[in-house]
Amino acid sequence: MSLHEIQPDGPAFEIVGPTRPSRWLVTCDHATNIVPRSVGHGSLGIAEADMARHIAFDPGAAGVTRELAVILDAPAILTRFSRLVIDPNRGEDDPTLVMKLYDGTIIPANRTVGAAETERRLNAFHRPYHRAYEDLAARRPDTVICAIHSFTRCLRGRATRPWEIGILYSHRDERLAKPLIAALAATGLTVGDNEPYSGHLDGDAIDRHALTPGRPNVLIELRNDLIATEAAQRDWAARLAGPLESVLAQSGL
C-alpha cells in the first residue's frame, strides 16, 4: 500500500471519544498526509518519499494523540488532510497557509494557487476542522488543551536538533508549559524550552482556541524518529500522561 493515501474528499477531521469526561482536549493539527481528490486529483505532484516526510504531516503524532487521549480519558480531534493542502495550524491570513516550497521541496500543485483556490480549501478543510475543534473545546467551561506535534531531527542543510521533546508556549500563557518543562527534564529527557521553534504564531490553533478564550494549554513537540512505531507512540503517551496530570493538578487551574 502507498505511504500516501489517495481518497475522495471526506470529513476534514476525526473526533475520537467525544463523550469522554476529562478536562483535557488532545489535538493533532498535522495528523495525516492525505491529499483529498479535489486537490490535484489526490496528488500534490511530489514524490512518495516527500509525502512520507515531515513536510506533509507530523509523523507519529496521530498515534501519540490517540493513545494519550485514551490514558487521559479525554476526547481528541485529528485532521484528515495534509498540511500541504492547507495548514490548519496557521491563521487564514498567514502567508504560509498554502506552502509552495517546504524544506527544499517545491509543491507543484500549490505553485499557482491563488485567492479563489485558497478560499475553496479554507471552506472545505480548514474551517470545518476549526469549527469542530471549537465545539469540542466549548463542551465544558474548564477545558485544557494539549496539542501534539512532531518535529524532524534535522532540516536539510541545518544543524541536528538535540532535543527529544520540545514544549512550546506563548508569552501570554506559560502556566502549564514552564512546570511541564521542569517535570519532564527531571525524568532525564532533553527538553526544548520553546524549541525547536517559538510556540506562538498569531492566528494559529492554540492562539485561536486557547489563548484568545483564556483556556490553559500546552503544545508538545516530539522528535519524530522517537515515535516512529506504534510501540514507541504508546510508550511516549504513557510517559507524558503522568506529568501532564500532575502539572495540571498542582497548577490550581
Side-chain angles (χ1 to χ4, degrees), residues 98-174:
V98 178
M99 292 290 283
K100 295 176 169 52
L101 172 69
Y102 196 172
D103 194 19
T105 296
I106 294 171
I107 318 303
N110 291 346
R111 290 180 69 176
T112 60
V113 168
E117 174 60 10
T118 298
E119 183 69 12
R120 188 194 73 78
R121 295 187 194 185
L122 281 166
N123 285 328
F125 313 113
H126 192 283
R127 289 170 180 153
Y129 171 66
H130 283 288
R131 284 194 296 268
Y133 190 148
E134 177 53 35
D135 287 346
L136 269 181
R139 78 198 190 286
R140 52 184 295 167
D142 59 350
T143 292
V144 182
I145 293 174
C146 176
I148 300 294
H149 291 257
S150 71
F151 67 95
T152 189
R153 188 168 192 175
C154 188
L155 293 170
R156 288 177 172 173
R158 304 285 184 87
T160 299
R161 292 161 164 170
W163 310 283
E164 294 168 288
I165 183 171
I167 305 301
L168 276 54
Y169 56 90
S170 166
H171 64 280
R172 291 162 55 191
D173 187 359
E174 303 175 359

Side-chain angles (χ1 to χ4, degrees), residues 201-231:
L201 285 172
D202 289 340
D204 69 8
I206 289 292
D207 185 48
R208 179 171 180 169
H209 298 291
L211 298 176
T212 297
R215 296 181 178 113
N217 63 91
V218 64
L219 190 156
I220 297 173
E221 288 270 2
L222 292 160
R223 209 175 72 207
N224 60 29
D225 62 309
L226 301 178
I227 53 171
T229 67
E230 290 183 5

